[in-house]
Amino acid sequence: MTYTDKGSGLKKIWGMFFAFFALFILNFFVKTDMGTTSAAWLILAFCVLILSVVILVKNKLPLKKQILISFAFGLLMIAAYQGLSFTSVQTFIVTAFCSMASFSVFNTHGEQAVPLIKGTCPKSQFISIVIGCLVGACWGILNIFLSGSEPILKITLSCFALALSPAIYEEIAFRAFLFAVCLYFLNGKIVSRKERFTCYFMMIVPHVLIHTPEMFITGGVPQGIIGIFMLAVLFGLPFAVLQRKRDLLSAMVAHGIVMVIRFSFLGTPF
């Protein structure tokens, strides 16, 4: 790929981000029954779903085993929301398609791919789980401390079930897949600082943005910007680093444990 082509790939990536960002801003001025935050989540979900379909059409389906794994991840969303609902079906579809598209891109550009599990031996898998548990425990405690709410321990099955959604859905659709999108448009070559920054930015910021609408609404633009920065550095970056430096499994375990701790001490959202 020539320098001009690489520049074109970067422009496409940033163009897609700013298109999403425009929808994110527009969302504040469109009142819906679901609320601004829920609408922001749906906007990003719709964007990644469309991108995943486009990539699958152009890059073809991944291996049969990977298709089955993708749909298994999707089915876990039904378990996460404990039955059929709009949310469980939507996350099932988005997870499955984004997972297949990620596998498809990573199969083509294996050198830069985010592996599902680093290595094939049980020891390597165990190390990924241990790393995920340690990071998840530390960041889970930090999350409780920063929440400002009084923690009251109440462990239920829902705490573990609901944690599957951020652990799997968010790590695949909003992080690993967005890295795969960057890899696809950069033709598998991530060499310059600008390219590395773009990849990390896309793995972190879109996902962070959809957590912040209430911060903007209640605290204004300064509070929202501070919230974006804090969430990006304290929570988005560690999960992105785990994916890039270790594997998807470690990031999913870490994110899941953070949410189990949060739900156990601060309660589930529903």
Side-chain angles (χ1 to χ4, degrees), residues 58-72:
K58 291 188 174 183
N59 216 48
K60 298 183 179 180
L61 290 170
L63 302 174
K64 182 178 180 180
K65 177 182 178 181
Q66 293 170 330
I67 293 175
L68 293 175
I69 291 172
S70 298
F71 276 91

Side-chain angles (χ1 to χ4, degrees), residues 212-270:
T212 61
E214 293 303 321
M215 296 181 186
F216 281 98
I217 292 171
T218 59
V221 174
Q223 186 66 39
I225 293 175
I226 292 172
I228 290 172
F229 180 79
M230 288 185 61
L231 288 173
V233 173
L234 294 177
F235 295 101
L237 182 60
F239 299 139
V241 170
L242 282 176
Q243 286 201 22
R244 292 290 286 122
K245 300 301 183 182
R246 185 66 193 180
D247 54 22
L248 183 58
L249 175 62
S250 62
M252 290 194 296
V253 170
H255 201 160
I257 288 178
V258 168
M259 299 315 295
V260 166
I261 293 173
R262 179 178 180 85
F263 293 153
S264 297
F265 281 96
L266 301 180
T268 59
F270 49 82

